[in-house]
């Protein structure tokens, strides 16, 4: 029997990539661009987002982003983000990775650490305990942190709002809050350089996709394409 190429076996395993950053940083556009490049290599991609990504978690998303949970306080919101994450991990991310898919998730644990942490009512220890329960050991292999001045990101987010659409729960926070988020994401990247890559979200979408792709290709095992 022919021996299996260990690199090929590695390539067959699922991979988990997350995208993080403040409002209007271009995560969704980048997620789609990376998914298209992976699919062009013949890989199976599962593109998803948080909060949401599974039917039950999408319902929780709606309650969170319309501000229905806000009156209960930051800890209740953190619990709801975690409840949504548990369902998403159990029903979608976990099974997709088991099938060998490349999962790209628009926001994940770092958003809880940063947003719920920045609301100031929950200590890092409590947030870490919630995270441990919610993800049950499932950590992203690679996280892109899209870094952008919040003034620019919030203006972008406002410009893509439909007429009559109201500002969502977190976009409506103060500029000081959004500045705090930016720094908190950079702090995570500095603390976990093996997992996190910071990208300049002020670049054009094509430039951003190119930079992200280079980082992805240098860190994760992509299949080799045979020359035509
Ligand atoms: P978005 O998908 O349009 O970025 O909206 C999601 C919003 O929810 C965004 O303001 C960040 C916030 N959020 C948290 O506060 N905590 C979390 O754990 C997640 C996943 C998102």
């Amino acid at each position: 029997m022919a021996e299996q190429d260990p690199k090929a076996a590695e390539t067959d395993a699922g991979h988990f990539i997350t995208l993080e950053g403040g409002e209007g940083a271009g995560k969704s556009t980048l997620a789609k661009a990376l998914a298209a490049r992976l699919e062009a290599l013949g890989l199976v991609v599962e593109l998803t987002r948080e909060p949401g990504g599974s039917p039950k978690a999408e319902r929780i998303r709606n309650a969170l982003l319309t501000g229905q949970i806000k009156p209960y306080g930051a800890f209740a919101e953190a619990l709801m983000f975690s409840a949504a994450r548990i369902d998403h991990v159990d029903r979608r991310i976990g099974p997709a990775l088991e099938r060998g898919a490349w999962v790209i998730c628009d926001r994940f644990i770092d958003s809880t650490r940063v947003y719920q942490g920045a609301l100031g009512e929950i200590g890092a220890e409590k947030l870490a305990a919630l995270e441990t329960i919610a993800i049950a050991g499932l950590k992203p292999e690679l996280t892109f942190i899209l870094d952008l001045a919040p003034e620019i990101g919030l203006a972008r987010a406002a410009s893509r709002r439909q007429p009559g659409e109201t500002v969502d729960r977190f976009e409506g926070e103060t500029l000081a809050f959004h500045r705090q988020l930016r720094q908190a994401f950079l702090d995570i990247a500095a603390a976990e350089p093996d997992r996190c890559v910071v990208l300049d979200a002020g670049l054009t979408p094509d430039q951003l996709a190119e930079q992200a792709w280079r980082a992805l290709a240098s860190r994760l095992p992509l299949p080799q394409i045979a020359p035509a």
Side-chain angles (χ1 to χ4, degrees):
M1 200 171 89
E3 231 174 69
Q4 206 187 357
D5 171 7
K7 187 84 181 164
E10 233 188 354
T11 309
D12 287 339
H15 294 280
F16 185 25
I17 301 167
T18 57
L19 274 62
E20 299 276 6
E23 310 295 324
K27 292 178 289 80
S28 324
T29 308
L30 177 60
K32 285 184 205 135
L34 292 177
R37 288 191 185 215
L38 290 168
E39 279 166 354
L41 294 179
L43 297 167
V44 176
V45 178
E46 189 83 16
L47 190 54
T48 187
R49 69 169 180 184
E50 288 211 347
S54 64
K56 283 184 190 141
E58 286 291 331
R59 285 204 290 278
I60 298 175
R61 175 187 175 95
N62 184 52
L64 281 162
L65 299 196
T66 52
Q68 290 170 57
I69 315 295
K70 185 178 173 183
Y72 299 92
F75 189 59
E77 286 182 317
L79 285 174
M80 294 302 278
F81 278 110
S82 304
R85 182 159 302 136
I86 288 170
D87 193 66
H88 187 211
V89 166
D90 280 358
R91 314 230 164 216
R92 186 137 178 224
I93 300 179
L97 291 171
E98 271 168 30
R99 289 194 305 271
W102 286 63
V103 176
I104 302 180
C105 189
D106 183 343
R107 295 196 186 279
F108 196 59
I109 47 172
D110 300 304
S111 283
T112 309
R113 293 179 184 180
V114 164
Y115 279 76
Q116 279 58 61
L119 290 171
E121 295 164 36
I122 316 168
E125 253 175 48
K126 252 191 196 171
L127 279 175
L130 272 183
E131 179 179 309
T132 304
I133 294 168
I135 66 174
L138 182 78
K139 256 203 157 180
E141 285 169 89
L142 174 60
T143 296
F144 290 114
I145 306 247
L146 277 64
D147 181 54
L148 188 65
E151 292 87 340
I152 301 175
L154 289 168
R156 279 189 194 167
S159 72
R160 57 170 199 229
R161 217 170 285 135
Q162 304 295 319
E165 197 184 328
T166 50
V167 67
D168 81 26
R169 158 71 183 92
F170 297 99
E171 273 174 48
E173 288 285 341
T174 63
L175 188 57
F177 171 84
H178 290 285
R179 290 202 175 117
Q180 209 181 323
L181 299 182
R182 182 186 195 187
Q183 190 54 53
F185 276 122
L186 293 174
D187 291 346
I188 290 175
E192 296 187 55
D194 289 346
R195 174 172 70 90
C196 300
V197 173
V198 178
L199 297 171
D200 175 2
L203 296 172
T204 66
D206 284 349
Q207 289 170 331
L208 193 61
E210 191 53 40
Q211 287 216 352
W213 184 250
R214 278 201 210 138
L216 188 159
S218 71
R219 287 171 174 244
L220 298 182
L222 291 174
Q224 302 298 318
I225 296 194

mmCIF file of all heavy atoms in Angstrom, residues 23 148-155 175 178-179 182:
data_model
loop_
_atom_site.group_PDB
_atom_site.id
_atom_site.type_symbol
_atom_site.label_atom_id
_atom_site.label_comp_id
_atom_site.label_asym_id
_atom_site.label_seq_id
_atom_site.Cartn_x
_atom_site.Cartn_y
_atom_site.Cartn_z
ATOM 1 N N GLU A 23 -16.464 48.143 14.059
ATOM 2 C CA GLU A 23 -17.568 48.316 13.107
ATOM 3 C C GLU A 23 -17.024 48.816 11.762
ATOM 4 O O GLU A 23 -16.078 49.596 11.715
ATOM 5 C CB GLU A 23 -18.575 49.348 13.646
ATOM 6 C CG GLU A 23 -19.039 49.105 15.077
ATOM 7 C CD GLU A 23 -19.834 47.819 15.244
ATOM 8 O OE1 GLU A 23 -20.587 47.470 14.326
ATOM 9 O OE2 GLU A 23 -19.689 47.167 16.300
ATOM 10 N N LEU A 148 -8.757 49.521 12.163
ATOM 11 C CA LEU A 148 -9.206 50.741 11.475
ATOM 12 C C LEU A 148 -9.584 51.795 12.512
ATOM 13 O O LEU A 148 -10.141 51.458 13.565
ATOM 14 C CB LEU A 148 -10.452 50.395 10.638
ATOM 15 C CG LEU A 148 -10.985 51.463 9.689
ATOM 16 C CD1 LEU A 148 -9.976 51.761 8.573
ATOM 17 C CD2 LEU A 148 -12.313 51.027 9.065
ATOM 18 N N ALA A 149 -9.313 53.074 12.177
ATOM 19 C CA ALA A 149 -9.749 54.153 13.073
ATOM 20 C C ALA A 149 -11.267 54.084 13.183
ATOM 21 O O ALA A 149 -11.958 53.982 12.168
ATOM 22 C CB ALA A 149 -9.314 55.503 12.521
ATOM 23 N N PRO A 150 -11.818 54.120 14.404
ATOM 24 C CA PRO A 150 -13.273 53.956 14.551
ATOM 25 C C PRO A 150 -14.081 55.031 13.831
ATOM 26 O O PRO A 150 -15.190 54.758 13.374
ATOM 27 C CB PRO A 150 -13.500 54.004 16.064
ATOM 28 C CG PRO A 150 -12.217 54.365 16.687
ATOM 29 C CD PRO A 150 -11.128 54.166 15.704
ATOM 30 N N GLU A 151 -13.523 56.230 13.706
ATOM 31 C CA GLU A 151 -14.265 57.289 12.986
ATOM 32 C C GLU A 151 -14.564 56.822 11.557
ATOM 33 O O GLU A 151 -15.661 57.030 11.035
ATOM 34 C CB GLU A 151 -13.433 58.583 12.893
ATOM 35 C CG GLU A 151 -13.194 59.294 14.208
ATOM 36 C CD GLU A 151 -11.957 58.778 14.953
ATOM 37 O OE1 GLU A 151 -11.494 57.642 14.673
ATOM 38 O OE2 GLU A 151 -11.464 59.509 15.831
ATOM 39 N N ILE A 152 -13.570 56.188 10.931
ATOM 40 C CA ILE A 152 -13.741 55.726 9.537
ATOM 41 C C ILE A 152 -14.704 54.546 9.504
ATOM 42 O O ILE A 152 -15.621 54.487 8.683
ATOM 43 C CB ILE A 152 -12.373 55.331 8.927
ATOM 44 C CG1 ILE A 152 -11.426 56.533 8.956
ATOM 45 C CG2 ILE A 152 -12.544 54.794 7.502
ATOM 46 C CD1 ILE A 152 -10.010 56.215 8.498
ATOM 47 N N GLY A 153 -14.519 53.608 10.413
ATOM 48 C CA GLY A 153 -15.373 52.412 10.436
ATOM 49 C C GLY A 153 -16.832 52.752 10.683
ATOM 50 O O GLY A 153 -17.727 52.229 10.015
ATOM 51 N N LEU A 154 -17.076 53.649 11.634
ATOM 52 C CA LEU A 154 -18.468 54.006 11.950
ATOM 53 C C LEU A 154 -19.108 54.744 10.776
ATOM 54 O O LEU A 154 -20.292 54.565 10.478
ATOM 55 C CB LEU A 154 -18.521 54.861 13.223
ATOM 56 C CG LEU A 154 -18.203 54.094 14.511
ATOM 57 C CD1 LEU A 154 -17.994 55.053 15.684
ATOM 58 C CD2 LEU A 154 -19.306 53.088 14.856
ATOM 59 N N ALA A 155 -18.310 55.580 10.084
ATOM 60 C CA ALA A 155 -18.845 56.298 8.912
ATOM 61 C C ALA A 155 -19.190 55.293 7.812
ATOM 62 O O ALA A 155 -20.238 55.398 7.159
ATOM 63 C CB ALA A 155 -17.832 57.324 8.414
ATOM 64 N N LEU A 175 -17.858 57.159 20.870
ATOM 65 C CA LEU A 175 -16.595 57.029 20.145
ATOM 66 C C LEU A 175 -15.487 56.513 21.088
ATOM 67 O O LEU A 175 -14.638 55.707 20.681
ATOM 68 C CB LEU A 175 -16.208 58.392 19.545
ATOM 69 C CG LEU A 175 -15.014 58.401 18.609
ATOM 70 C CD1 LEU A 175 -15.196 57.444 17.435
ATOM 71 C CD2 LEU A 175 -14.772 59.826 18.090
ATOM 72 N N HIS A 178 -15.619 52.849 21.142
ATOM 73 C CA HIS A 178 -15.075 52.229 19.925
ATOM 74 C C HIS A 178 -13.543 52.344 19.868
ATOM 75 O O HIS A 178 -12.876 51.446 19.350
ATOM 76 C CB HIS A 178 -15.751 52.835 18.686
ATOM 77 C CG HIS A 178 -17.183 52.408 18.563
ATOM 78 N ND1 HIS A 178 -17.552 51.153 18.139
ATOM 79 C CD2 HIS A 178 -18.339 53.037 18.878
ATOM 80 C CE1 HIS A 178 -18.869 51.036 18.186
ATOM 81 N NE2 HIS A 178 -19.369 52.176 18.632
ATOM 82 N N ARG A 179 -13.008 53.424 20.442
ATOM 83 C CA ARG A 179 -11.536 53.534 20.518
ATOM 84 C C ARG A 179 -10.983 52.468 21.449
ATOM 85 O O ARG A 179 -9.934 51.867 21.176
ATOM 86 C CB ARG A 179 -11.141 54.924 21.027
ATOM 87 C CG ARG A 179 -11.430 56.000 20.008
ATOM 88 C CD ARG A 179 -10.580 57.249 20.277
ATOM 89 N NE ARG A 179 -10.801 58.208 19.207
ATOM 90 C CZ ARG A 179 -11.336 59.418 19.363
ATOM 91 N NH1 ARG A 179 -11.669 59.838 20.570
ATOM 92 N NH2 ARG A 179 -11.506 60.220 18.333
ATOM 93 N N ARG A 182 -10.818 49.145 19.662
ATOM 94 C CA ARG A 182 -9.680 49.037 18.738
ATOM 95 C C ARG A 182 -8.425 48.615 19.504
ATOM 96 O O ARG A 182 -7.714 47.696 19.095
ATOM 97 C CB ARG A 182 -9.448 50.395 18.046
ATOM 98 C CG ARG A 182 -8.321 50.333 17.057
ATOM 99 C CD ARG A 182 -7.988 51.686 16.480
ATOM 100 N NE ARG A 182 -7.167 51.559 15.286
ATOM 101 C CZ ARG A 182 -6.631 52.568 14.653
ATOM 102 N NH1 ARG A 182 -6.820 53.807 15.065
ATOM 103 N NH2 ARG A 182 -5.888 52.360 13.583
#
